[in-house]
Amino acid sequence: MHRWLEMIAARQPVRRVMLDAGLHVLAGAVDYLPRMRQRMAACELIEDVEYVRRGDVGLCLDILKPRGDGPHPVLIYLHGGAFAICSKRTHRALAAAYASQGYVVCNVDYRLAPTHPYPASLEDACAAWLWVLDHVGDYGGDTRRIALAGESAGANLALAVTLTCCLPRPEAFAAPVYARGHLPRAALLYCGLLQVSQPERHRRAGVSTLAATIVEDAASSYLGQPARHGTGHPALADPLCLIEAMAGPSPLPPLFIAAGLNDPVLSDSQRLEHALERLGSPCQAHYYPGETHAFHVMFWREQALRCWRDSFAFLQHHLRLSPAREVPARQPA
């Protein structure tokens, strides 16, 4: 209840508060489904592990640890929700799906807009990355095999963290990440909102007025009103644009891109695929006919199951270790 009172105090739209509340209620109901109970029984849930403090507030992540001897490959999951709603709790079912495949999953909470606009969520995502490097070994994780993943706004954050690992950046919060010289082995980006600025570009044929309005609301919450005009926006809020401006060779790890062909923000995924192809950067792009935004969370749909199979195959390929393959890393700057 305190969460939603804070959202109301921050003058969040009523529909956003109701959606967030509904998703949390739904997450609690999902816990009782047989498949979810089976997955949770196969792993250990360690809740509310603090990874950074912001003033008097500790930010936490949940760890879902496969039973059995490690070390296990690691997946850091950054939830979606237009930078303004959802939490690690709403996304526990997704984390459990990865844990059931043998991954130590770090399911991360971060500060939300508009109370905490850019760069708060990205600062937190970078802090979570550094915490995982230092501590996930204590939970059976293998720091040589880490991937980042997220959907929608979380895909934006996952791609931005990947960029901070690979490229020197002027932002103060990015410098420690780059200095560690440790790269993710891969990143998985589901239905990514990869350019937050200029959200009016989504007002086009085939995109409903409601969907376009939701994207514009997300941009305004995250970046403020200048987001509508694309002026003065922070570069790491638009990781897609940074990659489109890059010249080869690409420093990026392999990327998995997934989107429904009816997704209002489909063009961001397609643009990223084209930019990576131009750079010769490894990627797998998968598009699913008839599906809309965040369809992969609808586990009962055939295309969602296909997407999960595709992502599991991608992870298995890129997170397995062989003696002949070097761990991706750079010398500290």
Side-chain angles (χ1 to χ4, degrees):
M1 183 63 71
H2 180 69
R3 173 189 180 90
W4 300 305
L5 290 174
E6 285 188 337
M7 293 177 71
I8 293 170
R11 298 185 178 181
Q12 297 249 37
V14 172
R15 59 174 169 75
R16 186 181 284 176
V17 179
M18 293 180 64
L19 179 58
D20 185 75
L23 289 171
H24 279 86
V25 171
L26 181 61
V30 167
D31 287 348
Y32 294 95
L33 295 177
R35 187 65 178 272
M36 181 65 173
R37 293 170 70 119
Q38 181 183 31
R39 286 174 171 169
M40 293 302 293
C43 66
E44 178 185 358
L45 171 63
I46 305 165
E47 295 187 83
D48 297 327
V49 179
E50 184 175 306
Y51 68 88
V52 74
R53 291 196 72 80
R54 305 296 187 196
D56 296 331
V57 178
L59 295 173
C60 296
L61 53 81
D62 289 350
I63 297 173
L64 283 81
K65 174 185 174 183
R67 300 194 186 278
D69 295 332
H72 305 283
V74 178
L75 185 82
I76 301 172
Y77 198 87
L78 299 161
H79 69 80
F83 303 102
I85 64 171
C86 296
S87 69
K88 59 185 175 64
R89 186 64 185 89
T90 58
H91 285 62
R92 182 171 294 170
L94 278 69
Y98 291 112
S100 71
Q101 299 293 309
Y103 300 94
V104 173
V105 183
C106 299
N107 187 19
V108 181
D109 262 348
Y110 52 83
R111 290 172 293 171
L112 299 175
T115 304
H116 303 285
Y118 178 91
S121 59
L122 183 52
E123 287 178 340
D124 298 342
C126 287
W129 168 262
L130 293 173
W131 184 93
V132 168
L133 293 184
D134 290 335
H135 299 286
V136 77
D138 299 334
Y139 299 90
D142 185 352
T143 56
R144 298 171 299 171
R145 295 181 290 166
I146 303 178
L148 288 155
E151 98 282 349
S152 193
N156 178 297
L157 297 174
L159 185 56
V161 173
T162 300
L163 282 169
T164 65
C165 292
C166 297
L167 297 170
R169 293 287 311 165
E171 296 86 357
F173 63 85
V177 175
Y178 182 75
R180 289 296 293 268
H182 198 114
L183 307 184
R185 277 195 169 271
L188 295 92
L189 313 174
Y190 300 92
C191 55
L193 177 58
L194 305 176
Q195 178 187 346
V196 184
S197 69
Q198 298 180 302
E200 65 274 8
R201 71 189 189 279
H202 297 293
R203 289 194 177 274
R204 63 181 190 277
V207 177
S208 71
T209 300
L210 176 60
T213 300
I214 289 171
V215 175
E216 290 183 341
D217 286 349
S220 295
S221 293
Y222 194 46
L223 296 182
Q225 291 301 321
R228 297 183 182 275
H229 308 291
T231 57
H233 59 277
L236 276 173
D238 293 341
L240 169 60
C241 297
L242 287 178
I243 294 173
E244 287 180 324
M246 287 170 57
S250 168
L252 296 169
L255 300 183
F256 176 89
I257 302 167
L261 287 175
N262 290 346
D263 191 332
V265 296
L266 168 65
S267 60
D268 283 15
S269 293
Q270 294 173 325
R271 285 169 55 195
L272 178 61
E273 179 192 8
H274 296 155
L276 294 171
E277 287 178 346
R278 176 181 59 80
L279 292 169
S281 189
C283 79
Q284 284 187 23
H286 299 263
Y287 302 106
Y288 302 89
E291 300 297 344
T292 188
H293 195 65
F295 74 95
H296 68 296
V297 307
M298 305 174 195
F299 290 99
W300 61 91
R301 297 180 65 88
E302 176 54 37
Q303 293 293 339
L305 295 173
R306 179 184 151 207
C307 180
W308 282 101
R309 290 193 295 269
D310 292 339
S311 66
F312 289 154
F314 174 86
L315 278 174
Q316 182 181 19
H317 177 74
H318 290 289
L319 264 68
R320 68 172 183 259
L321 266 178
S322 65
R325 185 175 180 183
E326 294 183 358
V327 175
R330 292 180 290 96
Q331 292 298 318

